Amino acid sequence: EAQVTQNPRYLITVTGKKLTVTCSQNMNHEYMSWYRQDPGLGLRQIYYSMNVEVTDKGDVPEGYKVSRKEKRNFPLILESPSPNQTSLYFCASRLGAGGSYNEQFFGPGTRLTVL
Amino acid sequence: TQLLEQSPQFLSIQEGENLTVYCNSSSVFSSLQWYRQEPGEGPVLLVTVVTGGEVKKLKRLTFQFGDARKDSSLHITAAQPGDTGLYLCAGALSPSGGYNKLIFGAGTRLAVHP
């Protein structure tokens, strides 16, 4: 089944404790992206990757890191989480960075709480 | 600043009613997508509209892209409880180099009561 998987689905942590949220897709998509979803603000892009070893900042990249060592995986790293990073996070992928009609597939989300 | 304004934010209606959700911007989009998101899941694509003035129908859902490609609407006829969810519009912008960036609206939360 074609899908985007994220782990963990739920995470409660404390300020300053490094964490990684994994993301994997099995559709051989070139483009992957991370979003955070907050009430009233919609989905805001954190980072994106057009291909292996090619990553770039989205609209809200502060406090986050990513890497794209393999095509299928795109982990999101919070080196020193803070309470304002409490949010619902989604990983997404699509065939390519161009093509305005490309369907974007989303993972099931990771709900992160930073105390 | 929200590039894509969705209205209304919340909608609570009875089964069988009709409704329209709006998505507006001052930006011109190369395409516009509508997604539906259910609790505990990621958004799922419903439709993509590409041409100004385009109308697409998906059973009881009708999607329209504005002539100037700055706005869109989603109309649901005879809403069912199964239509309950968060509806998101997303416009594709082309900042540079062939990259299409999706800008999401804040969403319309629809509740359809039996």
Side-chain angles (χ1 to χ4, degrees):
Chain A
E1 181 191 353
Q3 60 182 352
V4 179
T5 56
Q6 290 179 232
N7 283 292
R9 293 292 310 278
Y10 303 91
L11 181 58
I12 300 175
T13 189
V14 295
T15 298
K17 187 175 180 183
K18 181 179 177 180
L19 67 94
T20 299
V21 183
T22 64
C23 172
S24 183
Q25 51 93 6
N26 63 1
M27 295 169 279
N28 201 36
H29 285 169
E30 288 188 346
Y31 178 88
M32 297 184 75
S33 182
W34 275 102
Y35 296 87
R36 59 179 289 173
Q37 186 176 38
D38 302 289
L41 296 176
L43 284 160
R44 294 181 293 166
Q45 190 182 55
I46 303 170
Y47 267 94
Y48 64 94
S49 168
M50 294 203 197
N51 215 325
V52 176
E53 303 292 2
V54 181
T55 63
D56 210 343
K57 296 177 181 178
D59 299 314
V60 288
E62 294 76 23
Y64 304 95
K65 282 174 56 176
V66 292
S67 69
R68 188 93 181 273
K69 294 186 172 63
E70 307 161 284
K71 200 171 189 178
R72 65 182 293 129
N73 296 323
F74 191 43
L76 178 70
I77 303 153
L78 284 72
E79 294 269 4
S80 183
S82 62
N84 64 12
Q85 292 178 299
T86 292
S87 187
L88 180 58
Y89 291 86
F90 287 100
C91 181
S93 75
R94 66 181 194 240
L95 191 60
S100 59
Y101 44 83
N102 283 347
E103 178 176 359
Q104 188 147 283
F105 294 83
F106 286 84
T110 294
R111 186 166 291 283
L112 172 66
T113 301
V114 184
L115 303 174
Chain B
T1 305
Q2 198 75 28
L3 271 181
L4 259 180
E5 299 286 343
Q6 266 189 258
S7 62
Q9 271 191 286
F10 301 96
L11 201 47
S12 181
I13 61 173
Q14 293 297 125
E15 182 176 358
E17 291 184 27
N18 300 332
L19 67 112
T20 303
V21 176
Y22 299 94
C23 183
N24 294 293
S25 176
S26 57
S27 301
V28 177
F29 297 109
S30 52
S31 69
L32 195 133
Q33 298 180 330
W34 284 92
Y35 290 80
R36 180 166 159 232
Q37 183 180 2
E38 300 197 39
E41 298 180 11
V44 175
L45 181 69
L46 294 173
V47 78
T48 302
V49 283
V50 180
T51 308
E54 183 176 0
V55 176
K56 278 193 175 177
K57 292 194 175 186
L58 192 66
K59 296 183 181 176
R60 293 176 293 99
L61 278 60
T62 301
F63 304 86
Q64 184 160 11
F65 202 12
D67 291 340
R69 305 206 317 274
K70 292 182 179 182
D71 56 87
S72 182
S73 64
L74 156 61
H75 181 80
I76 301 179
T77 304
Q80 305 290 313
D83 295 327
T84 294
L86 178 67
Y87 290 83
L88 297 162
C89 63
L93 291 175
S94 302
S96 64
Y99 166 48
N100 270 282
K101 177 178 180 176
L102 279 182
I103 306 294
F104 283 84
T108 294
R109 192 164 295 281
L110 171 65
V112 182
H113 305 283

